[in-house]
Amino acid sequence: MRFNRYNIPVLPRRRLMVALVACLVFVVLPLGGGGALGAVAGQNGVIAFVTAGGDIDSVSTDGATLALLIAGAHDPAWSADGKKLAYIDGSGNVIACPVAACVTTTVANGPGNSEPAWSPDGTRIVYVNGGYIWVTSSASPGPGTNLTQLATAGNESPTFSPDGTKIAYDANSGGTKQLFTMSSTGLSQTQIDSGAPASNNFCMRCGSNPHR
């Protein structure tokens, strides 16, 4: 699931249905040289990816500069400005870290967390735990405060809209995955597509904070 979501293009027959809320995701594995999951930074042009050994490394888009970012971690997600990285550590905690001087901050305790994604303004992080979608503060009034459950079990792959008012996600509907949107407070949960199962490779359109 983690690998395919970033590397399988949206099925052509579904593009018209999801065009308002979805776009194709960049393929980053060839740049990673063995990575299992990747995230393109918003501004600094660096790709963060998970190695076969279970670390988060970074690589420049020309492949010239490769470096270890975080040992024993996965699910990297850049903030929109490319200055911070959210990820899941070895204990399943959601961690936020300024890349320039990585002093880690736990924004959600594990175990079982996955798929963190930043709000466009960098103040909130949405993530999944046991199929439930949660959102928490990454900044004022304090990391990990205002923890709110947005959606119940069977959900995955949450991502903010560019203006931060909506979240797109996959949900189990009638035994198959379907694409949904909701407000950033969990209201107005709406199924966008129907019929074919959703593949979790989408991003909210028209912004600089793609879904990894």
Side-chain angles (χ1 to χ4, degrees), residues 32-110:
L37 175 151
V40 179
Q43 299 294 330
N44 62 16
V46 175
I47 298 170
F49 66 99
V50 178
T51 69
D55 299 325
I56 297 177
D57 283 8
S58 66
V59 64
S60 56
T61 53
D62 61 5
T65 305
L66 179 68
L68 172 67
L69 282 181
I70 310 292
H74 57 92
D75 285 24
W78 290 108
S79 59
D81 61 8
K83 295 179 180 180
K84 294 182 179 180
L85 191 71
Y87 62 91
I88 307 299
D89 69 8
S91 298
N93 302 310
V94 181
I95 305 294
C97 171
V99 177
C102 193
V103 178
T104 61
T105 300
T106 300
V107 298
N109 293 320

Side-chain angles (χ1 to χ4, degrees), residues 118-202:
W118 294 85
S119 63
D121 62 4
T123 63
R124 292 168 292 166
I125 293 176
V126 64
Y127 65 96
V128 176
N129 185 297
Y132 291 75
I133 296 177
W134 297 80
V135 67
T136 186
S137 297
S138 60
S140 178
T145 58
N146 296 333
L147 180 64
T148 305
Q149 180 185 313
L150 300 181
T152 55
N155 304 299
E156 58 188 33
S157 309
T159 183
F160 277 97
S161 62
D163 63 4
T165 63
K166 292 185 178 181
I167 293 173
Y169 61 102
D170 276 343
N172 188 325
S173 177
T176 60
K177 287 193 303 181
Q178 304 294 345
L179 184 61
F180 278 69
T181 62
M182 62 180 167
S183 73
S184 61
T185 59
L187 300 176
S188 304
Q189 297 182 11
T190 304
Q191 185 173 334
I192 300 301
D193 67 346
S194 60
S199 60
N200 47 351
N201 61 315
F202 53 84

